Amino acid sequence: MKIVEIRLSMLRVPLRTPFRTALREVDSVEDIVVTVHTDDGHVGYGEAPPTAAITGETHASIIAAVRRHIAPRLIGEDIADLNRVVGLIQSALEKNTSAKAAAEIAIYDLWAQYHGAPLYQLLGGGHPRLSTDLTISVNDVDTMVADALNAIARGYTSLKIKIGKKIDDDIVRVRAIHTAVGESALLRLDANQGWTAAEAVRAIRQLEDAGVRMELVEQPVKAHDLEGLRHVTRHVDTPIMADESAFGPKDLLELIRLRAADIVNIKLMKTGGISGALRMADIAAMHGMECMIGCMLESSISVAAAVHVAVARSNVITKIDLDGPSLCTFNPVDGGVDFDESHLSIPPLPGLGIRSIRGLEPL
Ligand code: MG
């Protein structure tokens, strides 16, 4: 099974409601889809979102990275030689982790198709069903409470609350949501780098003292502020999770060395794809650290790959934040992972199981 062509397309899917965090506001998924074609007629699918505020990537940079740097080295390569092909992708250029992830996901999809098995089985196997949380965007208090109650009505039992704006308002937001939802959902807070270390300690302690039970607080301080992250982790009871502070395995080793966080959020778009995500999960497992697996604003192409990774590493990936498809107005994928609100399940199909994708605009 040799690679003969790599094509790029644009996928546009409106979101049900605008996605708002301390860093950005977005109202639709507009991702680059990579399709890798083989000499025997197989197609592998990958996807990259332009998350400039986090990975530094834009539509233009993703297209250029794949077209000029990654694709030319893959033509003629044999899918059976997975590690070699992955190495060619990862060494094609520095950074550009989402572009690399899109290419890698398509290659892993083909590799599993080549072996005739669902990808997760080849990554180690597991129970092919998961349950995800749902993100509640940062808004005025009443909107956030209404969104949280709506999520519970849709069957979610775990909510990712976006905060990280003005700290006193954030405390009001979280207390109001906690009062409204009671014991019906676990609360995960994500400040998206919006606080200083001192603010984070004050806010989290106030919430703890007020009896608000938080499963974890994600990325309270700036990505580069590992000292600040460690300070927060040391001075509150609630587990602290690193997201933007840990892109790949090397960042994770530094976090572990500094004991700067209790948990790490693995995302394929930060690690450069599946190989880096597996490596992070294995490093975390070695050090007894729990992981979340998360996504950017992605549809059910690349999030499907994250579901396969999560199932195959369920020993260490215990928290699932793969709600990209749930935030979308429709699922453009025929086949693939089934996203039914909080319930995610992998069908018994080879690779990622994607048969076709609706509405792709060739680039
Ligand atoms: Mg986050």
Side-chain angles (χ1 to χ4, degrees):
M1 191 185 280
K2 289 207 162 56
I3 299 167
V4 291
E5 194 182 4
I6 295 172
R7 296 183 200 157
L8 296 173
S9 319
M10 179 73 83
L11 174 70
R12 294 178 214 271
V13 184
L15 297 177
R16 295 160 71 119
T17 51
F19 182 84
R20 297 180 68 202
T21 75
L23 292 173
R24 61 203 183 113
E25 175 167 350
V26 187
D27 59 11
S28 69
V29 164
E30 291 189 1
D31 291 358
I32 305 294
V33 172
V34 175
T35 51
V36 178
H37 302 255
T38 63
D39 57 355
D40 58 355
H42 286 84
V43 183
Y45 296 92
E47 173 185 2
T51 318
I54 297 171
T55 70
E57 293 168 278
T58 61
H59 287 141
S61 78
I62 293 164
I63 293 166
V66 175
R67 202 168 262 165
R68 290 191 210 149
H69 298 272
I70 297 172
R73 4 169 84 203
L74 302 189
I75 302 301
E77 291 294 329
D78 192 343
I79 289 295
D81 211 348
L82 177 71
N83 286 342
R84 173 181 161 78
V85 180
V86 164
L88 289 170
I89 294 169
Q90 297 301 331
S91 61
L93 73 173
E94 279 298 307
K95 303 189 188 289
N96 291 276
T97 48
S98 306
K100 289 175 184 170
E104 243 208 23
I105 290 166
I107 297 299
Y108 271 87
D109 181 12
L110 284 168
W111 175 69
Q113 291 179 44
Y114 170 76
H115 287 288
L119 177 59
Y120 78 92
Q121 291 186 358
L122 299 172
L123 300 180
H127 182 63
R129 285 173 202 283
L130 294 173
S131 173
T132 181
D133 63 16
L134 187 73
T135 299
I136 305 298
S137 284
V138 61
N139 269 305
D140 63 79
V141 178
D142 291 345
T143 305
M144 291 183 75
V145 167
D147 288 349
L149 292 173
N150 182 39
I152 288 166
R154 286 165 64 187
Y156 292 92
T157 56
S158 180
L159 303 179
K160 178 102 158 292
I161 313 292
K162 292 290 191 181
I163 46 169
K165 304 290 254 192
K166 231 177 104 204
I167 191 157
D168 293 321
D169 295 347
D170 284 335
I171 292 169
V172 172
R173 287 178 173 106
V174 175
R175 290 193 67 165
I177 293 168
H178 182 255
T179 302
V181 306
E183 300 298 311
S184 47
L186 273 176
L187 300 188
R188 301 167 170 174
L189 309 190
D190 188 356
N192 280 109
Q193 313 179 47
W195 294 335
T196 65
E199 283 175 338
V201 170
R202 179 161 73 84
I204 295 165
R205 279 197 178 159
Q206 269 194 44
L207 289 166
E208 287 172 347
D209 291 346
V212 176
R213 282 194 304 110
M214 297 162 282
E215 187 190 6
L216 55 90
V217 176
E218 179 170 350
Q219 198 64 47
V221 300
K222 291 272 179 280
H224 61 81
D225 185 12
L226 295 188
E227 291 290 337
L229 193 62
R230 177 166 70 170
H231 178 82
V232 180
T233 300
R234 282 190 178 173
H235 289 90
V236 300
D237 292 332
T238 304
I240 300 299
M241 182 166 72
D243 181 7
E244 292 95 317
S245 289
F247 264 54
K250 280 186 191 150
D251 299 334
L252 177 56
L253 287 170
E254 185 65 2
L255 278 185
I256 290 168
R257 191 182 70 78
L258 292 172
R259 298 180 191 277
D262 302 298
I263 311 169
V264 64
N265 189 349
I266 299 172
K267 293 179 179 166
L268 302 188
M269 297 303 144
K270 296 188 299 183
T271 61
I274 293 170
S275 62
L278 295 171
R279 209 163 276 140
M280 283 181 83
D282 293 342
I283 289 169
M286 281 171 62
H287 292 87
M289 187 186 216
E290 271 185 280
C291 304
M292 173 180 276
I293 192 158
C295 59
M296 305 293 189
L297 279 176
E298 302 163 44
S299 84
S300 47
I301 305 167
S302 49
V303 179
V307 173
H308 282 261
V309 169
V311 164
R313 288 297 182 278
S314 57
N315 60 319
V316 62
I317 299 175
T318 54
K319 300 171 193 306
I320 312 296
D321 176 28
L322 297 176
D323 62 349
S326 306
L327 302 172
C328 291
T329 48
F330 67 90
N331 183 0
V333 172
D334 176 33
V337 169
D338 184 50
F339 292 88
D340 177 17
E341 295 288 8
S342 64
H343 307 290
L344 317 181
S345 54
I346 301 177
L349 297 170
L352 296 177
I354 296 172
R355 283 187 285 264
S356 63
I357 300 171
R358 273 193 290 154
L360 289 183
E361 304 162 31
L363 292 168

